């Protein structure tokens, strides 16, 4: 079954032109990206027992960024040493991603298409703010599990299903135009407990959960508070 919701793909494709503009329609992603990267780097160092000062801890490893958009996360993963594949359902976003990577001198295998059509297994799989946009979260997690190498690491992020996330992300974020209107559907938000069940159903176990919180003084930051958004790291059970 396809995990793609065509209306969701069209909505994100319409923003392809200014995806890399830190003040454009995807400004919130630019603010989120350093927070995500810090968490991903910490999990990489712990999982593979890397020197935290090493600049290329993913050297010799493969990475798959699912729902890569125009490459905001894929490019840093490549700079960490990984052989990166970026997958997105939108050909428009993949086109922008390829053009930007070429301009930066970064080699990434960008592909437009379905996760279920992707072949091979990967040491690291990242999937940031994607699962709340797919047709069937359980089938999507199954597809992620199939692509994860035996000693692989999976890192996902998604909004929590709380009143706080609805207020900040939809009522305020979308209402004030800081997030493109219509980006989120609260009914598709997934709680950490439900996420653990989805992962466990496909033979994956949760290693760690950390929240992404917001405050007026710190902005977006890693936190024990998972009410707004959270990152989860998982491996094969």
């Amino acid at each position: 079954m396809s995990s793609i919701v065509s209306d969701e793909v069209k909505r994100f494709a319409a923003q392809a032109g200014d995806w890399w503009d830190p003040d454009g329609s995807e400004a919130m992603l630019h603010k989120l990206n350093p927070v995500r990267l810090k968490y991903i780097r910490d999990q990489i160092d712990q999982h593979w027992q890397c020197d935290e000062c090493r600049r290329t801890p993913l050297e010799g490893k493969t990475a798959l960024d699912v729902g890569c958009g125009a490459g905001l996360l894929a490019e840093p993963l490549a700079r960490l040493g990984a052989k990166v594949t970026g997958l997105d359902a939108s050909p428009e976003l993949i086109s922008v991603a390829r053009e930007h990577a070429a301009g930066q001198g970064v080699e990434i295998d960008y592909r437009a298409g379905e996760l279920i059509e992707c072949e091979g297994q990967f040491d690291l799989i990242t999937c940031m703010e994607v699962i709340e946009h797919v047709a069937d979260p359980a089938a999507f997690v199954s597809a992620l599990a199939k692509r994860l190498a035996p000693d692989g690491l999976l890192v996902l992020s998604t909004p929590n299903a709380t009143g706080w996330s609805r207020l900040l992300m939809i009522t305020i974020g979308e209402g004030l135009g800081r997030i493109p209107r219509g980006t989120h559907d609260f009914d598709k938000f997934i709680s950490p407990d439900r996420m653990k069940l989805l992962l466990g159903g496909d033979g994956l176990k949760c290693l760690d959960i950390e929240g992404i919180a917001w405050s007026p003084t710190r902005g977006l930051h890693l936190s024990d508070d998972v009410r707004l958004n959270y990152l989860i790291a998982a491996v094969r059970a």
Side-chain angles (χ1 to χ4, degrees):
M1 290 180 60
S2 173
S3 63
I4 293 173
V5 179
S6 59
D7 287 347
E8 298 270 17
V9 176
K10 291 176 184 177
R11 185 178 298 115
F12 289 111
Q15 298 147 21
D18 65 349
W19 201 272
W20 278 95
D21 180 358
D23 299 315
S25 61
E26 298 306 315
M28 191 59 66
L29 286 183
H30 286 265
K31 293 180 174 66
L32 264 174
N33 215 40
V35 183
R36 295 167 170 173
L37 277 167
K38 184 180 187 306
Y39 182 82
I40 292 168
R41 176 63 200 256
D42 288 345
Q43 293 302 312
I44 288 169
D45 289 344
Q46 291 179 45
H47 182 63
W48 284 294
Q49 299 181 338
C50 300
D51 180 349
E52 63 183 19
C53 296
R54 186 180 176 189
R55 297 184 65 182
T56 55
L58 292 175
E59 187 173 2
K61 291 182 170 55
T62 56
L64 173 66
D65 185 24
V66 180
C68 64
L72 287 184
L73 180 61
E75 288 193 14
L77 293 179
R79 292 191 178 96
L80 289 175
K83 181 180 179 182
V84 179
T85 298
L87 180 68
D88 199 278
S90 166
E92 293 88 350
L93 284 169
I94 289 297
S95 178
V96 172
R98 286 172 177 158
E99 183 178 352
H100 192 274
Q104 298 295 309
V106 180
E107 286 191 25
I108 297 173
D109 179 11
Y110 280 118
R111 305 176 187 177
E114 280 268 22
L115 176 59
I116 56 174
E117 296 170 351
C118 186
E119 297 181 349
Q121 292 187 318
F122 299 84
D123 300 306
L124 172 68
I125 298 178
T126 55
C127 187
M128 305 288 108
E129 313 297 305
V130 177
I131 194 169
E132 70 273 17
H133 298 290
V134 304
D136 184 340
F140 185 71
V141 169
S142 294
L144 289 172
K146 289 176 182 176
R147 301 280 71 83
L148 189 65
D151 186 40
L153 174 67
L154 170 65
V155 182
L156 300 98
S157 72
T158 194
N160 201 346
T162 65
W164 185 240
S165 68
R166 185 205 292 263
L167 174 66
L168 286 191
M169 300 185 74
I170 300 176
T171 306
I172 296 177
E174 295 188 22
L176 296 179
R178 294 179 180 176
I179 299 171
R181 190 178 295 274
T183 296
H184 298 108
D185 178 351
F186 181 74
D187 291 337
K188 290 187 172 183
F189 286 10
I190 298 173
S191 70
D193 286 342
R194 183 184 170 206
M195 184 69 78
K196 287 181 183 178
L197 289 174
L198 289 171
L199 294 169
D202 280 286
L204 301 174
K205 68 175 181 179
C206 171
L207 291 178
D208 181 78
I209 296 177
E210 192 157 358
I212 299 177
W214 180 86
S215 73
T217 54
R218 298 182 63 187
L220 292 166
H221 59 280
L222 293 175
S223 168
D224 292 334
D225 183 353
V226 300
R227 291 178 300 159
L228 176 62
N229 196 301
Y230 62 94
L231 292 134
I232 186 165
V235 296
R236 292 189 180 277

